[in-house]
């Protein structure tokens, strides 16, 4: 455990991030305290801006059954279906960060990062998903990591759920079962109790849209169940309620003593209308509402509840299919009020942009069919290794402006942004990606006046890119997956990023 001195040093740093008003925070107004001062120049980051890198437990830790860890749905899916992973890759060992976390902290240090976003493996802490067994080795692991980060001046930004559900909770249906919210609340309580003295930024869920896709198709995401347009909506409904309950838990029982912040991370491409037609403009907006609005509207909008366009289309399609109820569940008016406003910041993962037009797509039923939007790649932008990733920096600025306009007042943390290639150490394309995307983000902050307060690059390390395996690389640091020691080597991009992170500015030519 950290000494009191180190913790208060950290709290002092955090007060800077929080605009020095942490102590005055009260429910409903506290997020306004996460406002950073204006930067000194267009190419500079505001004082207190968090700059760092991100990872996730299943993608880096390995130690899949080490020291009492329970099985999760990704362990199960890849063990039962190695063919779902490219080259049969899985997260059994991955970067072995379970043993080599000190090297990860050193890598962050060399990057001049002041924040590290990582996730906690639920089954490493609670092997059965419930508090009947609390795995001390799991607590020890994250305590050591958190302490080492703080000793190095690096703020932990912790994701509670980055897709790795304990298998025992999938046996009772996983996220479509509303009881999962109860389990998630108890898991969160264990995290607040054990780590909340030192962790001040919490993300409940990473990319719920990706989580629920595991209930809509086979072979793409665990638990790999094909109930499109039904299971995914039920899962989303539980996740939104679970998030809100954890937010309230923190406000009621931990905020006063721990003085931290709780938010959620949503993912979004920028949907650019394919033409200037009203139809395409509406289609692009509909795509955003079905991807982001489904979670953001209940939590961040003034009115709360699902976006009206979703309610209307899913209800109409469900009726047309001859169903006695809508496939999209409903919140009671008490629930709408309870969920609204339950986030201190808006976490966003953004990588790329697509063109969108109106049209019939997807199976009946499915979210894609309900949305009625066809999205496709641009012709003329550079392609990364991931099929879905083109380098379109201006889309980032547009997305940040859209979020800020749609959900005003919420500080934004960019919790992921990055570029994939096939593993070059001289990764000039990655450097170009980061610098051009960071420049667009700074324009969104300094020119457009949006309150973005942090940025964590995806990813610190090459890691398991889920079903794409280890071949596709997002890391600033290379990991040699053929060597049992899993050595880390800085790629060229580290030099540029370390320089930006230290100087807190970008070259002025991006703004001329
Ligand atoms: C989003 C996910 O949160 C992360 O796990 C994944 O590796 C990156 N995007 C890149 O696809």
């Amino acid at each position: 455990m950290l000494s009191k001195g180190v913790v208060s040093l950290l709290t002092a740093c955090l007060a800077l991030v929080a605009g020095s008003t942490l102590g005055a925070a009260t429910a409903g107004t506290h997020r306004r305290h996460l406002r950073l001062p204006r930067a000194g120049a267009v190419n500079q980051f505001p004082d207190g801006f968090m700059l760092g890198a991100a990872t996730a437990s299943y993608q880096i830790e390995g130690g899949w059954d080490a020291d009492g860890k329970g099985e999760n749905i990704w362990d199960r899916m890849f063990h039962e279906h190695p063919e779902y992973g490219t080259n049969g890759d899985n997260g059994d060992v991955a970067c072995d960060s379970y043993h080599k976390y000190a090297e990860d902290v050193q890598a962050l240090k060399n990057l001049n990062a002041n924040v590290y976003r990582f996730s906690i493996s639920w089954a490493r802490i609670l092997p059965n998903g419930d508090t009947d067994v609390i795995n001390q080795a799991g607590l020890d692991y994250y305590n050591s990591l958190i302490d080492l980060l703080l000793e190095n001046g690096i703020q932990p930004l912790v994701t509670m759920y980055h897709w790795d559900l304990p298998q025992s909770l999938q046996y009772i249906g996983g996220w479509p079962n509303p009881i999962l919210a109860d389990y998630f609340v108890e898991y969160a309580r264990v995290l607040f109790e054990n780590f909340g003295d030192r962790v001040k930024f919490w993300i409940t869920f990473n990319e719920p849209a990706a989580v629920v896709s595991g209930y809509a198709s086979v072979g793409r995401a665990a638990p790999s169940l094909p109930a499109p347009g039904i299971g995914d909506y039920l899962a989303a409904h539980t996740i939104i309620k679970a998030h809100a309950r954890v937010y309230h838990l923190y406000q009621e029982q931990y905020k006063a003593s721990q003085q931290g912040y709780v938010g959620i991370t949503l993912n979004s491409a920028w949907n650019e209308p394919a033409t200037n037609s009203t139809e395409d403009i509406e289609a692009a907006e509909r795509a955003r509402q079905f991807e982001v609005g489904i979670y953001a509207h209940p939590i961040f909008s003034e009115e709360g509840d699902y976006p009206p366009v979703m309610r209307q289309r899913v209800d109409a399609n469900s009726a047309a299919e001859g169903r006695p109820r809508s496939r999209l569940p409903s919140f009671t008016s008490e629930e709408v009020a309870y969920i609204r406003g339950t986030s201190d910041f808006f976490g966003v993962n953004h990588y790329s942009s697509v063109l969108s037009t109106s049209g019939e797509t997807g199976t009946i039923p499915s979210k894609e069919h309900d949305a009625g939007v066809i999205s496709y790649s641009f012709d003329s932008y550079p392609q990364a290794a991931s099929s879905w990733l083109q380098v379109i920096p201006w889309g980032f600025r547009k997305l940040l402006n859209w979020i800020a306009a749609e959900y005003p007042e919420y500080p934004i943390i960019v919790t992921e942004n990055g570029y994939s290639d096939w593993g070059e150490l001289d990764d000039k394309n990655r450097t170009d990606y980061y610098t051009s995307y960071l420049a667009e983000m700074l324009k969104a902050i300094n020119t457009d006046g949006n309150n973005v307060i942090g940025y964590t690059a995806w990813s610190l390390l090459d890691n398991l890119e889920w079903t794409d395996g280890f071949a596709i690389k997002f890391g600033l640091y290379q990991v040699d997956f053929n060597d049992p020691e899993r050595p880390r080597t800085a790629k060229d991009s580290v030099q540029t990023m370390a320089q930006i992170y230290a100087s807190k500015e970008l070259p002025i030519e991006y703004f001329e």
Side-chain angles (χ1 to χ4, degrees):
M1 282 282 170
L2 276 185
S3 72
K4 277 230 151 49
V6 176
V7 173
S8 57
L9 183 81
L10 185 91
T11 312
C13 300
L14 188 78
L16 179 68
V17 169
S20 320
T21 48
L22 261 172
T26 52
T29 57
H30 44 267
R31 60 179 167 269
R32 293 183 198 118
H33 297 289
L34 286 173
R35 173 162 283 284
L36 295 183
R38 286 194 72 81
V42 280
N43 62 327
Q44 289 176 359
F45 292 90
D47 273 352
F49 198 91
M50 295 184 274
L51 284 166
T55 61
S57 47
Y58 186 71
Q59 296 179 272
I60 67 161
E61 283 179 4
W64 80 274
D65 62 350
D67 305 334
K69 176 182 164 292
E71 187 188 27
N72 67 45
I73 56 175
W74 284 86
D75 296 322
R76 173 61 62 99
M77 185 182 88
F78 280 141
H79 291 160
E80 274 187 356
H81 291 283
E83 73 280 10
Y84 291 170
T86 304
N87 303 321
D89 291 343
N90 63 38
D92 286 3
V93 182
C95 308
D96 197 21
S97 289
Y98 182 61
H99 298 107
K100 302 182 79 75
Y101 65 91
E103 291 183 30
D104 299 347
V105 176
Q106 189 55 50
L108 287 154
K109 189 91 181 133
N110 295 345
L111 188 63
N112 297 317
N114 62 15
V115 61
Y116 179 40
R117 174 181 179 232
F118 63 93
S119 81
I120 291 182
S121 158
W122 187 339
R124 195 179 292 291
I125 304 272
L126 305 178
N128 303 329
D130 205 357
T131 52
D132 56 332
V133 178
I134 300 183
N135 182 30
Q136 188 57 44
L139 295 176
D140 292 347
Y141 170 65
Y142 294 109
N143 272 323
S144 306
L145 171 60
I146 291 164
D147 286 352
L148 195 58
L149 286 168
L150 296 179
E151 280 160 26
N152 283 280
I154 301 167
Q155 172 98 243
L157 165 58
V158 177
T159 312
M160 297 176 173
Y161 188 78
H162 201 123
W163 310 359
D164 41 1
L165 186 73
Q167 178 61 32
S168 50
L169 299 185
Q170 188 51 48
Y171 285 141
I172 57 168
W175 291 110
N177 184 347
I179 195 79
L180 266 269
D182 290 1
Y183 287 85
F184 188 67
V185 167
E186 294 313 316
Y187 165 54
R189 192 193 306 277
V190 171
L191 302 189
F192 294 146
E193 289 285 338
N194 284 279
F195 309 125
D197 56 335
R198 288 152 294 149
V199 172
K200 303 301 166 189
F201 283 88
W202 295 99
I203 293 167
T204 53
F205 289 90
N206 174 70
E207 299 197 353
V211 176
V212 308
S213 73
Y215 298 90
S217 65
V218 168
R220 286 181 34 225
S224 186
L225 294 171
I230 302 173
D232 44 357
Y233 290 148
L234 291 172
H237 203 67
T238 310
I239 286 171
I240 293 164
K241 290 204 267 190
H243 161 83
R245 284 182 55 187
V246 165
Y247 184 85
H248 283 290
L249 170 71
Y250 193 77
Q251 297 312 306
E252 283 152 25
Q253 296 184 26
Y254 298 97
K255 179 82 183 180
S257 58
Q258 299 187 351
Q259 296 289 299
Y261 297 94
V262 178
I264 186 166
T265 280
L266 309 179
N267 53 304
S268 187
W270 172 251
N271 292 86
E272 180 73 3
T275 70
N276 282 336
S277 71
T278 309
E279 202 186 343
D280 285 353
I281 292 169
E282 282 175 5
E285 180 57 23
R286 208 159 61 240
R288 288 174 217 127
Q289 294 300 340
F290 269 79
E291 269 319 294
V292 182
I294 176 175
Y295 306 100
H297 205 272
I299 296 169
F300 295 98
S301 76
E302 283 287 319
E303 325 69 88
D305 208 344
Y306 289 117
V309 68
M310 271 197 86
R311 180 84 273 158
Q312 182 262 317
R313 290 180 71 99
V314 185
D315 289 1
N317 283 352
S318 303
E321 290 153 20
R323 297 171 190 274
R325 72 193 82 70
S326 177
R327 287 180 278 100
L328 183 67
S330 294
F331 296 115
T332 64
S333 50
E334 289 76 27
E335 286 171 337
V336 168
Y338 179 82
I339 294 164
R340 204 171 46 206
T342 54
S343 201
D344 295 325
F345 57 87
F346 191 117
V348 61
N349 293 348
H350 172 77
Y351 291 84
S352 194
S353 296
V354 289
L355 288 164
S356 298
T357 187
S358 183
E360 287 259 326
T361 183
T363 55
I364 299 177
S366 67
K367 180 156 68 78
E368 291 68 29
H369 185 260
D370 291 334
V373 181
I374 298 172
S375 291
Y376 55 95
S377 315
F378 287 77
D379 281 338
S380 54
Y381 287 92
Q383 178 68 45
S386 307
S387 57
W388 49 269
L389 208 172
Q390 285 186 291
V391 184
I392 307 172
W394 53 262
F396 191 20
R397 181 179 181 180
K398 286 198 175 189
L399 176 68
L400 292 171
N401 274 298
W402 180 82
I403 293 170
E406 195 79 2
Y407 314 109
E409 294 204 10
Y410 288 91
I412 298 172
I413 302 180
V414 177
T415 44
E416 286 183 32
N417 175 241
Y419 178 84
S420 60
D421 60 17
W422 302 104
E424 300 82 83
L425 278 177
D426 54 339
D427 57 343
K428 184 170 179 316
N429 290 342
R430 175 167 294 105
T431 306
D432 290 347
Y433 178 98
Y434 277 131
T435 47
S436 57
Y437 272 70
L438 283 170
E440 293 301 312
M441 183 179 79
L442 279 187
K443 289 177 198 165
I445 300 171
N446 296 332
T447 307
D448 307 335
N450 299 311
N451 186 34
V452 183
I453 65 168
Y455 175 94
T456 51
W458 187 269
S459 176
L460 180 66
L461 307 170
D462 287 344
N463 59 48
L464 183 82
E465 179 56 3
W466 306 105
T467 51
D468 282 342
F470 294 110
I472 284 186
K473 321 273 192 187
F474 274 95
L476 287 155
Y477 287 81
Q478 180 191 71
V479 176
D480 183 350
F481 295 102
N482 296 316
D483 185 327
E485 291 300 314
R486 299 293 193 272
R488 282 87 162 125
T489 309
K491 300 181 190 174
D492 289 357
S493 53
V494 168
Q495 223 192 327
T496 306
M497 291 296 267
Q499 221 262 318
I500 294 170
Y501 283 13
S503 66
K504 308 238 177 318
E505 64 177 42
L506 281 174
I508 191 72
E509 52 262 27
Y510 285 101
F511 304 87
E512 287 163 351

